[in-house]
Amino acid sequence: MPVLKAVKSFLPLVCGLALSFALAAHASIESDEAMMGKPIDPELAIKQFKLPEGFKVDLWAAEPKLLNPVAFCFDEQGRVYVAETFRYMTSVFDIRGHMNMYYDDLASRTVADRAAMIKKYLGVQTPLMASESEVVQLLEDRGGTGKCDHSATFADGFNTILDGIGAGVLARKGKVYYTDIPNLWLLEDSNHTGQATSRTSLSYGYGVHFGYTGHDLHGLCIGPDGKLYFSSGDRGLNVTNKEGKVLDYPDTGTVLRCNLDGSDLEVFAYGLRNPQCLAFDDYGNLFTGDNNCDHGDAARIVYVVEGGDTGWRIANQFSETTAAGVWNSEKLWELQFPGQAAYIVPPVAHMGDGPSGLAHYPGTGFPAQYKDHFFMCDFRGAPVISGVHSFALTPHGAGFDVIDHNRFWWHILGTDVKFSPDGQMYVCDWVRGWPQSGLGRLYRAYDPQLIKSPLVLETKKLIAEGMEKRPVAELQKLLEHADQRVRLEAQFELAARASATSNSDEGRKCIDALTQAALGNANQLARLHGIWGLGQVGRSSKDVLKPILRLLTDSDAEVRAQTAKILGDDHFAGAFENLTNLLTDQSLRVRFFAAQSLGKLGNAAAVKPLLAMLRENLDQDVFLRHAGVMGLLGTADKAALVEAAGSDWRSVRMAALLAMRRREMPEISMFLHDPDPLIILEAARAISDLPIKAALPDLAALIDHPSGTYMLDWRVLNANFREGDEKNAVALANYAANGTNDDLRGEAIRFLADWHKPFSRDRITGLWRPLPPRNGEIAVNVLKPIIAQLVSSAPDTVRFLAILTARQLTLT
């Protein structure tokens, strides 16, 4: 990362496009059509699609019935709700087209900050940003013709100056969840007219930054725990949940979950860039596709684990020092490799260029070869290079590997993919590239040999009728059904009845049905749904969990794993001893869930077994290490972590370090003198990048003994700059004069040049971390004795900056 390159990388920020106010904010769709020509006819498009042999494609709906479709969903009756955007790239800015706002945008910490920034730059033209609304469109096949014959607006009026792109929609039991920055909405049609009669904000505070359009709130789905999951791109969030806890993640993408009424909102995982959709497999594992940043990195398939950090921060997009900052410099986007940053959970695969919609095949309508497969839209801006991937995942230790990856449906510019109740795959087509197409189509792909099969027809009927009126015995039987949606709804209904009437005959029957499924059913998936259902009931009635303690020694590893998970989720203290025993289970996946659950139980007696597990792992399985760290976070006090930091085992010390990082403990500086260079670097990452301010002096002190590791020594220089005492300036000057790395010598000079008025972005992370003005004479005094030497004899890159700095500070 030569200094000259660093200087050049700053130019795009200075020379970025100026804000073009109303004209840019309202670039018309008509001009886009004129530029791009007449859109391709839907039937001609079908002829160009490429799908596996045996599949057929039909057009189900087209413009003007739907326009600019971002996401869609089915309700139980097969009606389609479409999230349409009319604000994309007009009322919702992409900061790349308004770089004069970039620093203010990066500095925003709350939605209120963004509102103030809008008013600062737009002034009297601010109301223009409220002139366009996002729309939820309702599409129906009322005549039974197999095509959409009715389209109407279900909800609109999402047009405040803060509104983002309506990018997620989920319909269930008459309620429609809708994500549109800055709100997670609940829409309801109490009159059954096809129009929302009420809207409730379940949570507010998403979209701290403008950032990059499309990096919005999306990904709605319901997990096997009955909770609502959704994702936020790196536009960030600062949300106060209903219980009063502040969720402050302004600079990164997240996965969140809450109860269906919006309560108990929490961040499930973070460190993502733009995870547009989420999907659970048959075994309760959550996955997403995360977008690359177009700086040579790759788009990723991420196994989303609780508490996981995948490393992305918004400031990497426009680093002033390197291409994509530490994201590229430390290869945070790469698959697992030796020496990789330990605080992250790496992706399980690289796939596509523009991951958008993601769906899990529910189990009916397609050939058996697609069992437990995922389908992901790859939106690349043009149909010819876009389409839908299919792939499956196979366990690899506590994580996964991708297998059977193929292009399933190509030459379609899909933004989202879903399976209908009758076993068909639907993909919404943007039709043509950015910004707004002014078009929209919904195609369906199906296997003609299976679409009228008894299983598909039964599934459609079960979903349409719902579960509310079914007897307990039937619901128990449906836990074995071939379709994931049917199994889940049967589980949810049993759990809901049991929770509402636990002391009644009906409630006890439901609990018995779930327990029998968990304990005695030969069908593995039915057993898992029984366990998950008891987990739902166990949140309010822990006694129901006692009978399944025996499953922690079951012969089926997946049963052991899922039982361990829900006993921890429900804080069932009686499981402590058995969970501890599972830390030595033959299955690393079982160990993973046992470790995380022990962290939730909070018993300090788990610390030694957790450390023993981590010692045996030897840092080989990064997912297992993550689970062990999460376990320590819930069980180990400061003294226990400090003791672990003195272990002879590297893997134990690394786990203690990572736990200290999560708690931002100043004691982490003890690792700066570890015998392992990678542990020293990991400690420096935590101290510098979070930052842990109380430990910065210890990091800065390493300047007297450079390591020769670029990313470590750079952080040491940065720590001296941020500490800002006269001794730190002296140390930087000494490094500029005598350091062994020319690029870093240039960095030291740059720090001294900026000493009096520190730049507001951190040089390592690029995040907004302003420092107060300082006495510029300090930098002048330490540079004077060495400037002539630097100008006359230093290497070119160092000499260049020395000359610039001498002129800037009038040293010559």
Side-chain angles (χ1 to χ4, degrees):
M1 54 194 81
V3 173
L4 285 176
K5 288 185 179 179
V7 173
K8 291 178 181 177
S9 72
F10 180 66
L11 294 179
L13 297 177
V14 178
C15 304
L17 295 173
L19 177 65
S20 50
F21 295 106
L23 290 177
H26 295 275
S28 69
I29 294 171
E30 287 77 10
S31 64
D32 179 54
E33 289 180 350
M35 179 178 64
M36 301 186 71
K38 185 178 180 180
I40 188 170
D41 179 80
E43 295 303 323
L44 179 58
I46 288 175
K47 293 178 181 179
Q48 296 179 356
F49 293 154
K50 295 184 181 298
L51 288 94
E53 185 177 351
F55 281 89
K56 184 178 179 181
V57 175
D58 290 339
L59 175 70
W60 191 78
E63 66 280 349
K65 288 184 172 66
L66 71 161
L67 301 171
N68 308 321
V70 179
F72 73 102
C73 71
F74 290 94
D75 70 5
E76 294 84 354
Q77 309 306 317
R79 293 175 295 194
V80 176
Y81 294 81
V82 182
E84 299 181 330
T85 182
F86 298 92
R87 294 173 59 81
Y88 172 48
M89 295 292 283
T90 53
S91 300
V92 180
F93 290 167
D94 188 311
I95 202 65
R96 287 168 285 198
H98 305 278
M99 293 301 288
N100 60 323
M101 300 169 67
Y102 180 66
Y103 291 147
D104 280 346
D105 192 51
L106 202 61
S108 292
R109 302 289 90 188
T110 66
V111 169
D113 290 342
R114 183 161 63 90
M117 177 181 65
I118 292 170
K119 294 171 183 177
K120 171 183 174 180
Y121 283 91
L122 267 65
V124 297
Q125 294 174 314
T126 297
L128 288 173
M129 293 193 67
S131 61
E132 296 163 320
S133 172
E134 300 298 81
V135 172
V136 179
Q137 195 77 354
L138 176 58
L139 309 181
E140 299 181 62
D141 174 10
R142 290 184 170 181
T145 62
K147 292 184 180 293
C148 172
D149 57 18
H150 178 79
S151 174
T153 297
F154 179 75
D156 59 7
F158 305 100
N159 63 329
T160 72
I161 64 170
L162 290 170
D163 270 277
I165 294 171
V169 61
L170 173 68
R172 182 174 183 269
K173 292 188 174 183
K175 296 182 178 181
V176 177
Y177 297 90
Y178 178 56
T179 54
D180 179 22
I181 282 173
N183 292 284
L184 166 63
W185 291 105
L186 174 60
L187 312 175
E188 297 187 75
D189 173 15
S190 57
N191 296 332
H192 306 289
T193 61
Q195 290 185 319
T197 55
S198 68
R199 65 185 64 187
T200 304
S201 176
L202 297 182
S203 50
Y204 173 90
Y206 305 97
V208 169
H209 307 289
F210 269 126
Y212 319 111
T213 53
H215 293 215
D216 281 82
L217 203 60
H218 27 46
L220 289 161
C221 65
I222 296 177
D225 54 4
K227 295 199 173 194
L228 181 69
Y229 287 73
F230 57 104
S231 58
S232 172
D234 61 5
R235 294 184 64 184
L237 61 92
N238 184 286
V239 176
T240 301
N241 69 12
K242 290 186 175 183
E243 293 71 37
K245 181 180 179 180
V246 177
L247 309 179
D248 187 23
Y249 292 78
D251 297 317
T252 189
T254 53
V255 172
L256 303 102
R257 69 177 175 187
C258 62
N259 295 326
L260 297 185
D261 64 358
S263 62
D264 293 330
L265 176 69
E266 60 183 330
V267 170
F268 184 76
Y270 59 100
L272 296 148
R273 184 173 180 269
N274 189 22
Q276 292 201 13
C277 271
L278 305 171
F280 286 91
D281 69 4
D282 284 336
Y283 298 91
N285 304 300
L286 181 61
F287 296 92
T288 190
D290 199 14
N291 284 257
N292 60 316
C293 73
D294 300 319
H295 283 293
D297 57 329
R300 302 161 305 288
I301 301 298
V302 177
Y303 172 32
V304 183
V305 296
E306 187 170 358
D309 178 1
T310 48
W312 174 262
R313 303 296 184 266
I314 192 172
N316 284 319
Q317 188 71 42
F318 288 112
S319 171
E320 298 183 10
T321 53
T322 62
V326 294
W327 182 248
N328 263 356
S329 299
E330 301 194 306
K331 297 183 178 179
L332 300 181
W333 52 272
E334 277 283 14
L335 307 184
Q336 183 182 349
F337 64 87
Q340 189 176 39
Y343 73 91
I344 68 164
V345 177
V348 297
H350 293 153
M351 188 181 298
D353 284 316
S356 49
L358 180 69
H360 177 254
Y361 170 55
T364 54
F366 273 24
Q369 70 202 60
Y370 292 104
K371 177 178 170 55
D372 213 17
H373 275 57
F374 290 86
F375 296 85
M376 184 182 76
C377 293
D378 192 2
F379 187 99
R380 302 188 185 192
V384 69
I385 55 174
S386 301
V388 179
H389 299 268
S390 68
F391 62 94
L393 294 127
T394 187
H396 180 87
F400 291 88
D401 286 331
V402 165
I403 59 172
D404 197 26
H405 173 210
N406 294 286
R407 289 182 173 183
F408 179 81
W409 184 343
W410 221 245
H411 294 174
I412 184 170
L413 197 56
T415 59
D416 199 7
V417 53
K418 293 289 189 296
F419 284 89
S420 62
D422 59 356
Q424 302 181 70
M425 175 194 283
Y426 283 65
V427 174
C428 60
D429 185 6
W430 188 261
V431 185
R432 62 187 182 191
W434 296 283
Q436 294 177 27
S437 68
L439 306 167
R441 285 125 191 217
L442 201 56
Y443 294 97
R444 60 182 180 180
Y446 55 94
D447 185 333
Q449 302 300 316
L450 296 174
I451 200 62
K452 296 298 183 182
S453 70
L455 179 58
V456 168
L457 296 176
E458 176 194 64
T459 300
K460 178 183 178 182
K461 184 173 184 291
L462 287 168
I463 293 174
E465 291 176 350
M467 301 292 162
E468 290 83 355
K469 297 180 180 180
R470 300 186 188 278
V472 172
E474 183 184 0
L475 292 172
Q476 182 178 345
K477 184 64 178 174
L478 288 176
L479 297 178
E480 304 177 15
H481 198 272
D483 194 283
Q484 180 185 31
R485 297 165 297 185
V486 173
R487 295 194 305 270
L488 281 169
E489 288 301 331
Q491 170 200 318
F492 295 158
E493 180 63 21
L494 286 169
R497 292 188 202 178
S499 298
T501 60
S502 59
N503 294 321
S504 69
D505 287 344
E506 178 76 0
R508 285 190 289 271
K509 287 180 181 178
C510 291
I511 292 170
D512 288 345
L514 290 168
T515 305
Q516 289 169 16
L519 295 176
N521 200 306
N523 183 302
Q524 184 194 43
L525 292 178
R527 298 189 72 187
L528 301 187
H529 285 283
I531 293 166
W532 294 332
L534 290 172
Q536 291 181 267
V537 182
R539 293 174 202 156
S540 57
S541 179
K542 289 184 172 48
D543 286 345
V544 305
L545 301 174
K546 290 179 181 178
I548 63 169
L549 274 173
R550 72 184 78 169
L551 295 183
L552 294 177
T553 58
D554 194 87
S555 61
D556 187 326
E558 191 62 31
V559 168
R560 298 197 301 275
Q562 296 302 326
T563 304
K565 180 181 186 301
I566 69 108
L567 289 171
D569 288 346
D570 288 352
H571 304 279
F572 189 72
F576 173 77
E577 183 177 351
N578 287 345
L579 287 172
T580 303
N581 293 337
L582 291 183
L583 295 178
T584 58
D585 195 276
Q586 290 183 345
S587 165
L588 298 189
R589 181 168 166 79
V590 173
R591 296 185 194 186
F592 174 92
F593 287 115
Q596 286 212 323
S597 288
L598 284 168
K600 294 176 182 180
L601 296 187
N603 188 333
V607 172
K608 287 187 178 180
L610 284 165
L611 292 175
M613 182 197 76
L614 289 158
R615 180 178 67 235
E616 182 182 346
N617 184 47
L618 294 175
D619 284 328
Q620 295 303 301
D621 191 302
V622 294
F623 290 94
L624 189 57
R625 179 176 63 195
H626 168 73
V629 171
M630 296 300 290
L632 291 176
L633 285 173
T635 57
D637 60 15
K638 180 170 74 172
L641 291 178
V642 170
E643 181 181 352
S647 172
D648 293 335
W649 292 87
R650 177 193 184 278
S651 55
V652 171
R653 299 198 306 276
M654 182 65 84
L657 186 163
L658 296 174
M660 288 184 181
R661 175 192 171 103
R662 294 273 181 152
R663 291 185 183 169
E664 300 186 15
M665 291 172 55
E667 289 81 1
I668 201 171
S669 62
M670 66 193 300
F671 292 105
L672 294 174
H673 304 284
D674 194 272
D676 190 307
L678 291 179
I679 285 184
I680 297 174
L681 176 57
E682 197 66 39
R685 285 188 181 107
I687 295 167
S688 173
D689 299 1
L690 286 177
I692 302 174
K693 294 181 180 179
L696 275 176
D698 293 325
L699 179 60
L702 296 185
I703 197 169
D704 294 330
H705 304 283
S707 68
T709 300
Y710 191 99
M711 294 305 294
L712 171 58
D713 291 347
W714 191 18
R715 287 179 168 98
V716 170
L717 297 180
N718 191 46
N720 278 276
F721 174 69
R722 297 194 70 81
E723 277 296 283
D725 291 335
E726 185 172 356
K727 66 179 181 180
N728 302 113
V730 171
L732 287 169
N734 287 338
Y735 190 94
N738 305 306
T740 57
N741 185 291
D742 291 341
D743 284 339
L744 290 179
R745 291 175 70 188
E747 278 293 295
I749 295 171
R750 170 73 177 264
F751 282 133
L752 290 170
D754 292 342
W755 188 268
H756 65 296
K757 190 176 181 181
F759 189 52
S760 294
R761 296 182 70 185
D762 185 274
R763 287 284 288 174
I764 308 296
T765 66
L767 292 170
W768 194 258
R769 290 176 180 161
L771 294 167
R774 300 187 289 213
N775 182 1
E777 290 300 312
I778 292 175
V780 170
N781 292 337
V782 299
L783 277 170
K784 275 183 178 178
I786 63 170
I787 200 71
Q789 168 195 340
L790 294 174
V791 170
S792 62
S793 61
D796 288 346
T797 55
V798 179
R799 182 185 302 135
F800 172 75
L801 276 177
I803 292 170
L804 289 180
T805 301
R807 291 175 178 173
Q808 177 182 335
L809 301 181
T810 62
L811 297 177
T812 58

